Amino acid sequence: MDTFVQEVLEAYQRDKTRLMDILIDIQAQFGYIPPAVVGQIAEALQVSRVDVEQTLSFYHFFSTTPRGEYAIYLNNSVVANMMGRAKIAKTFEDELGCKFGEVTPDGKVGLFETACIGMSDQEPAALINGVVFPNLTPFRVREIVRDIKAGKSPEEMLTASYGDGQNSSPLIKAVVQNHIYKKGPVLSDDYQPGEALKKIVQMTPEAVIEEVKASNLRGRGGAGFPTGLKWEFCRKFPSKQRYIFCNADEGEPGTFKDRVILTERAQLLLEGMAIAGYAVGATQGILYVRYEYKYLQKHLEEMIRIGHEKGYLGQNIGGKEGFDFDVRIQFGAGAYVCGEESALIESAEGKRGEPRDRPPFPVEKGYLDQPTVVNNVETLCSVVKIILNGGSWYRSFGTEASTGTKVLSVSGDCRYPGIYEVEWGFSVNDILDMVGADVEDVQAVQVGGPSGACIGPDEFDRILCYADLATGGSMIIFNHRRDLLREVILNFTNFFIEESCGSCVPCRMLSVIMRDKLLKILNGHGVYQDLIDLEEWGKIMKANRCGLGQTAPRPILTSLKNFRHLYEERLQDKDFDSGFDLEAAIKDACEATQRTPHLHKPERQETAYENELVGAIGDLL
Amino acid sequence: MSVVKFIIDGVECIAEKGEYLLQAARQNGIYIPSLCHLEGYKPRGSCRICNVKVNGRLMTACTTPVADGMDIENDTPELRDIRTAILEILFVEGNHFCPACERSGNCELQAQIYRHQIMAPRFPFQFPDRDVDASHPNILKDYNRCILCKRCIRAIKDENGKSFFAFKKRSHKVEISMDPTMKENLTEELAQRAMEVCPVGALLRKEKGYDTPIGKRKYDKQPIGSEIETAK
């Protein structure tokens, strides 16, 4: 054990900013991070043990206890539930004889829940030692458990053909399907690697930025900051070193477009990163990929290697003296909040993924305190097409204020869940039509994932654009058979609770208090005041630092606004209900003392004295 | 030194450029409530009660440098409500039993709650199950009272800059952990300092909890922040 850990520590030069990589390698080797190793890491990095633990304990996929030879992570997202996760979960538990959150007594199999793994078009899905098992059925689960018991490797357990496109390449070998149903500039097949690089070396960096500004391209992660402007800020901030980050930490439940782009258009993405590097004057790029996509690691490494071989990466790119740019991959370890750009940077520095206070902005003081641009996968891919065809060509797509295209990840109740690259300006109705949803039967659409908005049919004429329905691309469709509050809103709210970094007070605790209030209503204890409380309390969440904290109440708030009747029909016709369940509260004590108090007294007539008392109080009022 | 002018609730203020808003306001006799802020240490903006509106946008005063021409709202009904709510959340999140607490009267959470005239929290008490760690020779950690402000994390380090305290886990499960291997290094002086930087009674130096009698403690006579406002 010692030698392996030493080798890992040496491989990262005992650099504490590479703690994530160190922990990932050790977790992969042992299936957990043994307590003795925590001390060894702390000593080597010259930090306290608690400093290693604060990072380690932050990320979902790290553990200080063994997670089993086979660590099964079954997605618990809304879409997974809609596609029959409950039966899958039960079959796993029954067949393995252990519950979720546990490891079988022989230490062989661990069963865990995990948030959306980016497979919403092929749910229910699980990760087993990093290998994706999509489209699970109880039959399939029994096969898997049988194979586990027979000692097969996860790779040997796959029974279907590998997926389409690069999914079947020897470096990926995944049974994942791309499900690309509509292509546009980002996904089109006519891409020739290196063409855009040839073009930019004839331009000044300033001219490249101008071209991107002329395209009016805005960040595709959801926030929509103008890309050209971001690059300009970074370029102008005085520094010797700058960094380009590609944010491939797509964790918004229901989103999976980056998975497909990383699989099919990795060269395009790397070229976009190199262009960004040239424009802002950065020589190092970091591709931050969520842990759930670790099955793409070899493929991505190969794409980087090919980039070097062909001269798209490395030194003097495109024959231009001094145009140096290299890319390294940084994996996350399971934390939605790391999709926030400053949290992503913190994570890449080996720390907890807690968002930073702003100012200073990452373009001034980002990775290792140097000016840093963080761009979404899709943004960087779009840049390549803008350079090749010009900013005005790009503006011909979409609307005047929201130019270009958006790659949508569509899932839920529709015929063809998958990837659709559409121009901005499509209405929700257009999209429902396009993806084969039964429009009459659609109850609601979640636009932009849990942090977006839950809208009903009366708003389906709204259009996707930054001024109306801005979106990072997640679209989840719910038909009338879905219990919107219990199946969807509660799930989303629990997601935000689990994914909070825990730093800001309202995000850490108020989200829990609001969830409990929602549960009170769902459990039949709600009164009208509870709705008012939820609306008022939701306003306090805007005091949080980052987007996660500020949007955490949105599932509740947008459903309260757009589906108020679903709440109101659950309310009781009285003014007050504490929601307190006396029987449940004293259950343990009753069992221990073997006494059963009479909590629900039988109906009885008021005594004369009581009647008198009530009358007297009435007179007083 | 360059001087900037800005406005807080209609009052013109001046400060040195780059100064954090919270300090700058205090130099001008205006108190912006704070809890996680600790003079002399990098601000972290985690308690959120110093939220003000800068040109209409919510920002934490402890982390925002002043700039020329800033128009700041501080004492408005909206901001008072946000601060009151946050204090109430902190109060229900832990187990704060003031009458039995060694820190009563010196406690900043209690002082803020008095200043904001909170009678009863609007949120339900969580009554979490939390530990008291008395295993250390010099210091007692009563996690029931911790408000996760990170002051101890930021302020208490050994001579090599190594931490004694750190966050652990995330979400509402987050907690402060003490480094077990550094127990022998936490001197009496550091333990004393830890108790002083803790705004509540979560970190106490053993046998020193009741040094000053009740009635003579910091906030027994006047509300927190009033020394800044009266100095004006």
Side-chain angles (χ1 to χ4, degrees):
Chain A
M1 188 187 280
D2 278 6
T3 28
F4 178 81
V5 175
Q6 285 307 327
E7 278 168 24
V8 170
L9 289 164
E10 292 310 323
Y12 298 106
Q13 289 94 43
R14 298 169 178 258
D15 178 355
K16 66 179 179 186
T17 70
R18 300 301 296 275
L19 181 57
M20 287 292 282
D21 305 86
I22 294 168
L23 293 174
I24 288 169
D25 286 0
I26 292 169
Q27 173 86 33
Q29 176 74 12
F30 304 119
Y32 74 118
I33 297 160
V37 174
V38 176
Q40 210 180 335
I41 298 170
E43 204 173 306
L45 304 184
Q46 294 184 315
V47 296
S48 315
R49 189 186 175 91
V50 283
D51 280 331
V52 176
E53 284 172 347
Q54 64 170 337
T55 298
L56 196 168
S57 62
F58 186 85
Y59 296 92
H60 180 64
F61 289 106
F62 292 147
S63 171
T64 48
T65 51
R67 292 236 166 134
E69 272 173 61
Y70 297 85
I72 302 174
Y73 287 92
L74 181 64
N75 181 4
N76 65 9
S77 74
V78 165
V79 179
N81 285 328
M82 288 163 69
M83 299 301 149
R85 178 189 184 275
K87 274 188 183 159
I88 306 302
K90 189 170 182 309
T91 313
F92 266 124
E93 287 186 336
D94 292 349
E95 295 291 313
L96 289 167
C98 83
K99 298 275 173 205
F100 275 86
E102 293 175 0
V103 178
T104 52
D106 58 1
K108 197 158 187 187
V109 193
L111 196 53
F112 305 96
E113 310 224 1
T114 199
C116 185
I117 60 170
M119 297 287 159
S120 293
D121 52 339
Q122 39 214 309
E123 286 293 339
L127 293 170
I128 303 178
N129 294 0
V131 177
V132 187
F133 287 80
N135 296 323
L136 291 174
T137 58
F139 178 85
R140 187 78 188 94
V141 171
R142 281 190 288 273
E143 278 185 339
I144 289 169
V145 174
R146 196 183 59 214
D147 288 350
I148 285 175
K149 286 177 178 165
K152 286 191 185 178
S153 74
E155 290 79 9
E156 289 167 338
M157 282 151 44
L158 299 173
T159 54
S161 304
Y162 298 132
D164 55 340
Q166 292 294 316
N167 286 303
S168 61
S169 83
L171 295 168
I172 300 182
K173 288 196 199 165
V175 295
V176 175
Q177 296 291 338
N178 286 327
H179 291 140
I180 302 172
Y181 289 112
K182 188 170 171 55
K183 292 181 179 181
V186 169
L187 292 168
S188 75
D189 294 316
D190 63 3
Y191 167 63
Q192 294 292 328
E195 292 296 311
L197 287 172
K198 267 188 221 158
K199 205 167 165 183
I200 59 159
V201 293
Q202 310 297 325
M203 300 162 75
T204 63
E206 289 80 5
V208 173
I209 292 176
E210 281 313 310
E211 199 63 54
V212 175
K213 280 167 92 175
S215 74
N216 216 354
L217 174 67
R218 295 169 66 170
R220 294 294 189 243
F225 193 82
T227 307
L229 205 57
K230 194 184 252 188
W231 289 10
E232 190 173 65
F233 285 148
C234 185
R235 179 167 187 85
K236 286 189 172 163
F237 200 83
S239 178
K240 284 202 178 89
Q241 180 64 279
R242 295 182 180 79
Y243 293 97
I244 302 296
F245 267 68
C246 171
N247 184 348
D249 191 47
E250 69 171 348
E252 190 76 40
T255 316
F256 48 90
K257 53 142 186 129
D258 291 345
R259 175 198 93 211
V260 175
I261 298 173
L262 290 171
T263 307
E264 297 301 325
R265 295 287 176 268
Q267 286 290 351
L268 179 71
L269 170 63
L270 293 171
E271 189 164 0
M273 288 181 77
I275 293 169
Y278 181 77
V280 308
T283 54
Q284 180 66 50
I286 293 170
L287 174 56
Y288 188 105
V289 185
R290 66 190 311 226
Y291 189 83
E292 289 81 347
Y293 297 164
K294 206 150 192 300
Y295 74 99
L296 297 173
Q297 182 174 7
K298 284 184 192 154
H299 164 71
L300 293 171
E301 283 168 355
E302 175 67 5
M303 292 298 126
I304 292 172
R305 194 194 63 76
I306 291 172
H308 278 278
E309 191 177 278
K310 302 218 164 154
Y312 310 144
L313 294 172
Q315 312 251 299
N316 304 326
I317 296 168
K320 177 114 173 172
E321 189 71 25
F323 179 11
D324 302 341
F325 192 75
D326 199 0
V327 173
R328 82 165 170 90
I329 302 169
Q330 173 71 61
F331 277 99
Y336 166 71
V337 67
C338 290
E340 197 276 346
E341 60 176 5
S342 64
L344 184 111
I345 291 169
E346 286 280 303
S347 177
E349 290 180 358
K351 298 185 238 166
R352 296 166 63 81
E354 291 183 11
R356 294 177 179 175
D357 293 296
R358 284 170 293 188
F361 291 91
V363 288
E364 303 159 349
K365 207 173 167 193
Y367 182 60
L368 305 177
D369 286 345
Q370 305 303 313
T372 302
V373 160
V374 183
N375 281 149
N376 182 264
V377 171
E378 196 184 336
T379 312
L380 289 162
C381 290
S382 303
V383 160
V384 181
K385 300 302 172 101
I386 289 164
I387 294 301
L388 284 172
N389 303 300
S392 54
W393 164 83
Y394 194 75
R395 280 204 316 274
S396 69
F397 298 97
T399 70
E400 203 172 323
S402 305
T403 61
T405 58
K406 179 78 199 94
V407 183
L408 300 177
S409 315
V410 182
S411 63
D413 293 315
C414 65
R415 187 85 184 266
Y416 305 109
I419 295 294
Y420 297 81
E421 185 176 357
V422 301
E423 295 184 39
W424 288 102
F426 265 52
S427 72
V428 176
N429 267 323
D430 294 336
I431 291 159
L432 292 175
D433 218 20
M434 177 174 67
V435 303
D438 178 2
V439 180
E440 282 73 44
D441 193 30
V442 177
Q443 180 185 191
V445 178
Q446 186 75 27
V447 183
S451 66
C454 187
I455 63 169
D458 55 330
E459 293 187 275
F460 288 172
D461 55 349
R462 288 177 66 182
I463 61 167
L464 298 191
C465 64
Y466 289 103
D468 189 4
L469 281 174
T471 173
S474 164
M475 300 268 288
I476 310 175
I477 301 162
F478 306 109
N479 67 24
H480 280 103
R481 285 178 299 285
R482 309 295 174 189
D483 181 343
L484 213 54
L485 301 191
R486 198 176 275 280
E487 288 178 56
V488 180
I489 304 304
L490 181 61
N491 178 295
F492 285 168
T493 305
N494 279 328
F495 169 76
F496 282 125
I497 289 171
E498 289 304 314
E499 298 297 332
S500 165
C501 82
S503 185
C504 297
V505 177
C507 178
R508 178 175 75 224
M509 198 64 228
L510 186 53
S511 54
V512 176
I513 295 172
M514 288 179 71
R515 186 264 321 267
D516 291 347
K517 183 76 102 177
L518 173 64
L519 274 174
K520 182 190 172 199
I521 297 167
L522 291 176
N523 293 337
H525 288 287
V527 295
Y528 193 75
Q529 181 63 35
D530 292 327
L531 305 190
I532 299 169
D533 285 347
L534 283 174
E535 280 167 336
E536 288 300 313
W537 298 356
K539 290 178 191 164
I540 295 153
M541 297 290 278
K542 68 188 175 197
N544 289 316
R545 181 188 295 135
C546 77
L548 187 157
Q550 287 162 7
T551 55
R554 281 183 67 88
I556 289 177
L557 295 181
T558 63
S559 60
L560 252 177
K561 181 167 163 276
N562 298 331
F563 298 91
R564 203 176 180 85
H565 61 280
L566 296 178
Y567 287 88
E568 285 175 346
E569 69 195 23
R570 288 174 149 102
L571 299 181
Q572 309 168 90
D573 188 22
K574 60 179 182 181
D575 292 335
F576 180 77
D577 185 330
S578 70
F580 183 71
D581 187 343
L582 183 60
E583 217 170 319
I586 60 171
K587 188 170 159 276
D588 289 348
C590 288
E591 276 171 16
T593 56
Q594 296 187 335
R595 282 169 55 197
T596 318
H598 297 288
L599 295 177
H600 299 288
K601 288 180 183 163
E603 294 282 324
R604 65 179 182 97
Q605 292 291 309
E606 282 83 9
T607 62
Y609 172 73
E610 281 166 345
N611 278 330
E612 204 176 307
L613 202 65
V614 169
I617 292 167
D619 289 345
L620 281 172
L621 297 173
Chain B
M1 170 181 123
S2 77
V3 168
V4 290
K5 285 184 182 172
F6 55 100
I7 294 170
I8 301 180
D9 293 337
V11 178
E12 267 198 47
C13 302
I14 53 165
E16 215 174 304
K17 196 183 171 196
E19 191 92 57
Y20 288 117
L21 201 45
L22 190 89
Q23 301 291 58
R26 288 179 185 185
Q27 285 156 17
N28 285 271
I30 294 170
Y31 179 69
I32 300 173
S34 66
L35 263 181
C36 69
H37 172 75
L38 182 62
E39 193 104 31
Y41 293 90
K42 197 175 174 232
R44 194 56 188 102
S46 63
C47 78
R48 315 307 288 173
I49 76 161
C50 71
N51 253 300
V52 291
K53 275 197 166 171
V54 180
N55 304 330
R57 265 186 84 148
L58 277 175
M59 298 185 90
T60 40
C62 70
T63 62
T64 307
V66 277
D68 216 17
M70 272 184 172
D71 189 2
I72 296 143
E73 292 171 49
N74 174 38
D75 196 17
T76 65
E78 185 195 359
L79 289 166
R80 272 200 301 274
D81 185 55
I82 287 176
R83 289 169 189 163
T84 308
I86 293 170
L87 291 166
E88 290 173 19
I89 297 166
L90 282 172
F91 200 69
V92 303
E93 181 186 37
N95 297 312
H96 299 280
F97 304 113
C98 300
C101 179
E102 293 86 340
R103 205 61 198 262
S104 185
N106 280 333
C107 171
E108 291 181 40
L109 176 66
Q110 183 192 42
Q112 289 296 353
I113 284 173
Y114 284 155
R115 184 187 166 96
H116 288 81
Q117 300 180 352
I118 296 167
M119 303 301 281
R122 73 195 78 171
F123 308 110
F125 283 98
Q126 303 296 305
F127 297 125
D129 204 359
R130 288 186 173 180
D131 288 339
V132 176
D133 180 359
S135 62
H136 194 278
N138 293 329
I139 205 162
L140 181 132
K141 188 184 88 166
D142 187 345
Y143 189 49
N144 288 290
R145 301 163 178 171
C146 179
I147 59 168
L148 300 159
C149 66
K150 295 189 173 178
R151 281 192 189 178
C152 57
I153 297 178
R154 286 175 285 164
I156 311 299
K157 308 264 183 190
D158 74 357
E159 63 270 25
N160 300 317
K162 284 194 191 176
S163 311
F164 286 95
F165 300 94
F167 257 23
K168 201 172 177 179
K169 303 182 194 166
R170 67 181 188 207
S171 76
H172 59 289
K173 296 173 199 134
V174 80
E175 56 188 67
I176 295 274
S177 61
M178 274 164 62
D179 199 304
T181 60
M182 297 181 82
K183 265 183 184 168
E184 54 275 19
N185 303 341
L186 190 79
T187 59
E188 275 189 41
E189 292 69 39
L190 277 174
Q192 176 71 25
R193 178 84 184 123
M195 179 167 81
E196 284 164 9
V197 300
C198 181
V200 292
L203 293 175
L204 296 171
R205 203 182 142 196
K206 281 191 175 169
E207 295 165 27
K208 292 285 175 189
Y210 274 114
D211 238 10
T212 316
I214 286 174
K216 291 190 172 174
R217 294 181 180 179
K218 205 169 169 190
Y219 307 115
D220 281 342
K221 294 274 156 52
Q222 55 170 9
I224 191 168
S226 56
E227 72 282 5
I228 287 155
E229 288 157 327
T230 49
K232 194 168 160 182

